[in-house]
Every structure is written in structure tokens, then in C-alpha cells.
């Protein structure tokens, strides 16, 4: 069944209020659309009245980024949401989310300084602001995020904790293609040649985990080996290759606590991110 699409805050609130009155827990999956199996897995993990938002959020894109050309595929998205069991789609326009004179932002210090935050100034401020607004609009009991955007999930969990937002944040595993490439709405930008080499990013993260498992505990050495590996991918430009504290995302000297290897790599003009927790 195709879930209905509502575009106003009043309509989504009315539908959620009705579901809550029927004793249904409210689950929420925020997305930017161009949905794929990674998003579907979040929807399938969600119970019971499942709201999916589809909103390409302008405040998380830099001036030179792909906001205007970000794929918008609402009909296919609605179908995928229906197959995955979503109850309702909230697809507001920019004016509904950011009326003129919106001047308030949510910002999580520190966690957003590194990795994608360093490469994309203001990105996480935009993400936190829109997610907090969506939480206040939908008022879910549980919200589902993907481990693919590891830093984003950590930052949102921190915001929820610090600002006492009454929602449970759950993080679901990264869904990958059979060859290991993490599913992403941006994969469709890849040329045939870029798509062929893209799975090597995940293989190199796995090699980092193997090195750590074999006893390499020096984070800087792991990082330089990873960066050197990534640089061998034809047409790749490494944005960052880091091994950081899995909880705080701060730089690490030694792997004496849980760590995550996180990378961002440009293949042509497409920026791909991936990560792997080092056990
Ligand atoms: P996006 O539409 O890219 O903003 O992503 C919306 C949500 O889907 C975020 O919580 C992402 O982490 C999650 N997501 C995107 N790709 C994947 C994937 N390959 N596996 C799991 N979750 C994903």
C-alpha cells in the first residue's frame, strides 16, 4: 500500500496524534529522499506507526555543494516506503520548514569539528537543526539512523542527550552492495569506471581492521596506511582517512579503547563516505 504524503506540519501532527491516540508507538526515519535499500532497512526496523520524512535540507549543504542537483525521486520513494512498511511520508517544502526570518540553529560542539565537519563547515549545524525541528514536529518515541553516517548518528545521539529530547535514537547497520560499496543516494552520480573501483574503499577499511586485529595499535600508522591505500584507487582524492575514538570522535594516539576508521573520498566530483568500527 502506498503511504500518504503530507506536506504540512499541521497534517503530520494530526496523523501522529491520531496514531498515538490509538496507542501506537511512533517511529521516525528522517531522510533526504532518493531512497534505497539502506533507507528501507531503517523503515523495516521501525515499529509501529512509521513516519518517513523526505526533505532535502538546504541548511546542511555548503554553497558549492550539490543541493540543487541532489536527486529528487518522490514517486519511487513513496513506493519503496510502502514496500518497507511506512505509515506516512512527510515531505515539506523549504518554506514550511524554514519560514522567512528563521534564525535559530542547533549546534553540537566538538563532535562536529572533525571528519565531515572539518570538510563541510556548517554541515552538522544544518543537520542538527533540521533533525531537532523534525523531532519537534513528529514527536516520535524512537528515531532510526544509519551507521553509514557514523558521525551524524553520534552527533544526534549527543544532541538528544544534551538537550533532553524525549526520543530514543537507534542506529542500524550499514547496508552494502554485494561487492561491499555502502549504498548511498550519491552512488548514482558515479561513472561506470568510478563504480567499478568504489568498492575498494570498503576493502581498505577492512584491511585497516585486519591490521588493528594483527596488533597495530598506533592510530597514526593505521591512518597513513589507510590513506596510502585509498590514494591507489584510480581517480580518487582522499578528503580524510582517520582512526578516531568511536565515542567522542576525537583523535586517538593508541587503540586502547573502541575506535572507528572513517573516510571520505572523492571519486571524480562525487564524495563518498564510509566507516568501520575497529573491534
Ligand atoms: P540520507 O537520505 O542520506 O540523509 O540518509 C537518511 C538516513 O539513512 C540516515 O540515517 C543515513 O545514515 C541512513 N542511510 C543512508 N545510507 C545508508 C546505508 N547504506 N545503510 C544504512 N543506513 C543508511
Amino acid at each position: 500500500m502506498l503511504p500518504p504524503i503530507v506536506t504540512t506540519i499541521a497534517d503530520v501532527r494530526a496523523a501522529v496524534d491520531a496514531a498515538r491516540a490509538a496507542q501506537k508507538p511512533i517511529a521516525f526515519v528522517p531522510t533526504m529522499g532518493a531512497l534505497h535499500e539502506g533507507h528501507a532497512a531503517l523503515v523495516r526496523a521501525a515499529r509501529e506507526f512509521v513516519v518517513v520524512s523526505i526533505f532535502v535540507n538546504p541548511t546542511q549543504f555548503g554553497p558549492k555543494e550539490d543541493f540543487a542537483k541532489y536527486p529528487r525521486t518522490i514517486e519511487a520513494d513513496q513506493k519503496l516506503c510502502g514496500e518497507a512498511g511506512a505509515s506516512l511520508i512527510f515531505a515539506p517544502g523549504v518554506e514550511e520548514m524554514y519560514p522567512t526570518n528563521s534564525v535559530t540553529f542547533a549546534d553540537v560542539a566538538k563532535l562536529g569539528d572533525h571528519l565531515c565537519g572539518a570538510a563541510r563547515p556548517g554541515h552538522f549545524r544544518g543537520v542538527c537543526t533540521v533533525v531537532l525541528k523534525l523531532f519537534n514536529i513528529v514527536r516520535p518515541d524512537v528515531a532510526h539512523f544509519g551507521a553509514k553516517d557514523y558521525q551524524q548518528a553520534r552527533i544526534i545521539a549527543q544532541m538528544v542527550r544534551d538537550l533532553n529530547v524525549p526520543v530514543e535514537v537507534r542506529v542500524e547497520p550499514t547496508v552494502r552492495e554485494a561487492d561491499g560499496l555502502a549504498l548511498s543516494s550519491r552512488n548514482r552520480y558515479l561513472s561506470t569506471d568510478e563504480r567499478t573501483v568504489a568498492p575498494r574503499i570498503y576493502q581498505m577499511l577492512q584491511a585497516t581492521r585486519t591490521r588493528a586485529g594483527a596488533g597495530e595499535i598506533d592510530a597514526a600508522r593505521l591512518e597513513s596506511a589507510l590513506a596510502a591505500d585509498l590514494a591507489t584507487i584510480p581517480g580518487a582524492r582522499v578528503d580524510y582517512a582517520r582512526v578516531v575514538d568511536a565515542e567522542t570522535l576525537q583523535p586517538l594516539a593508541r587503540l586502547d579503547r573502541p575506535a572507528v576508521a572513517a573516510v571520505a573520498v572523492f571519486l571524480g566530483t562525487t564524495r563518498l563516505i564510509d566507516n568501520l568500527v575497529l573491534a
Side-chain angles (χ1 to χ4, degrees):
M1 213 185 66
L2 287 182
I5 299 177
V6 296
T7 58
T8 68
I9 293 167
D11 284 348
V12 73
R13 281 197 167 141
V16 167
D17 285 350
R20 201 183 295 286
Q23 311 295 325
K24 288 189 182 166
I26 312 299
F28 180 43
V29 179
T31 82
M32 296 205 301
L35 302 182
H36 51 62
E37 266 308 300
H39 301 107
L42 301 185
V43 176
R44 282 196 293 268
R47 306 267 177 285
E48 180 163 325
F49 188 82
V50 181
V51 181
V52 177
S53 65
I54 296 178
F55 179 60
V56 185
N57 173 37
T59 65
Q60 71 189 70
F61 287 79
K64 295 195 181 128
E65 293 182 355
D66 57 347
F67 173 72
K69 74 160 189 158
Y70 197 84
R72 287 154 171 93
T73 59
I74 188 75
E75 275 172 29
D77 291 352
Q78 187 184 24
K79 193 158 167 278
L80 180 143
C81 282
E83 283 162 6
S87 316
L88 183 72
I89 295 171
F90 176 47
V94 172
E95 259 303 302
E96 185 74 359
M97 289 300 286
Y98 295 107
T100 317
N101 296 331
S102 294
V103 289
T104 309
F105 294 89
D107 210 350
V108 175
K110 274 195 159 168
L111 281 171
D113 293 348
H114 300 287
L115 310 175
C116 286
R120 304 181 70 188
H123 171 68
F124 287 116
R125 186 173 95 140
V127 169
C128 287
T129 302
V130 81
V131 169
L132 186 58
K133 285 166 69 70
L134 289 165
F135 282 170
N136 285 331
I137 291 166
V138 177
R139 284 169 292 179
D141 299 296
V142 182
H144 298 264
F145 293 86
K148 149 122 191 318
D149 299 271
Y150 188 92
Q151 185 177 21
Q152 170 174 286
R154 279 292 309 119
I155 287 175
I156 292 197
Q158 184 78 32
M159 174 181 79
V160 160
R161 200 198 76 163
D162 290 354
L163 297 182
N164 309 97
V165 184
V167 61
E168 181 190 338
V169 171
R170 290 204 198 142
V171 183
E172 313 297 342
T174 301
V175 177
R176 298 179 180 282
E177 301 281 5
D179 59 14
L181 176 64
L183 295 193
S184 164
S185 306
R186 292 189 169 101
N187 289 352
R188 70 189 69 199
Y189 300 152
L190 297 173
S191 69
T192 314
D193 288 349
E194 290 162 354
R195 175 64 188 84
T196 305
V197 296
R200 289 171 64 182
I201 297 171
Y202 182 53
Q203 289 162 13
M204 288 159 179
L205 286 168
Q206 289 176 305
T208 303
R209 187 158 72 179
T210 303
R211 286 185 194 112
E216 177 58 88
I217 58 161
D218 185 300
R221 277 211 293 267
L222 287 168
E223 284 179 348
S224 40
L226 176 56
D229 277 355
L230 292 166
T232 66
I233 301 176
R237 184 166 64 79
V238 180
D239 188 356
Y240 63 77
R242 302 300 313 271
V243 173
V244 296
D245 185 309
E247 184 73 17
T248 65
L249 305 181
Q250 301 304 304
L252 264 181
R254 297 158 67 80
L255 264 61
D256 51 6
R257 68 202 95 151
V260 61
V263 301
V265 178
F266 280 97
L267 287 182
T269 53
T270 306
R271 186 172 177 276
L272 301 179
I273 60 169
D274 203 350
N275 67 82
L276 194 60
V277 172
L278 307 179

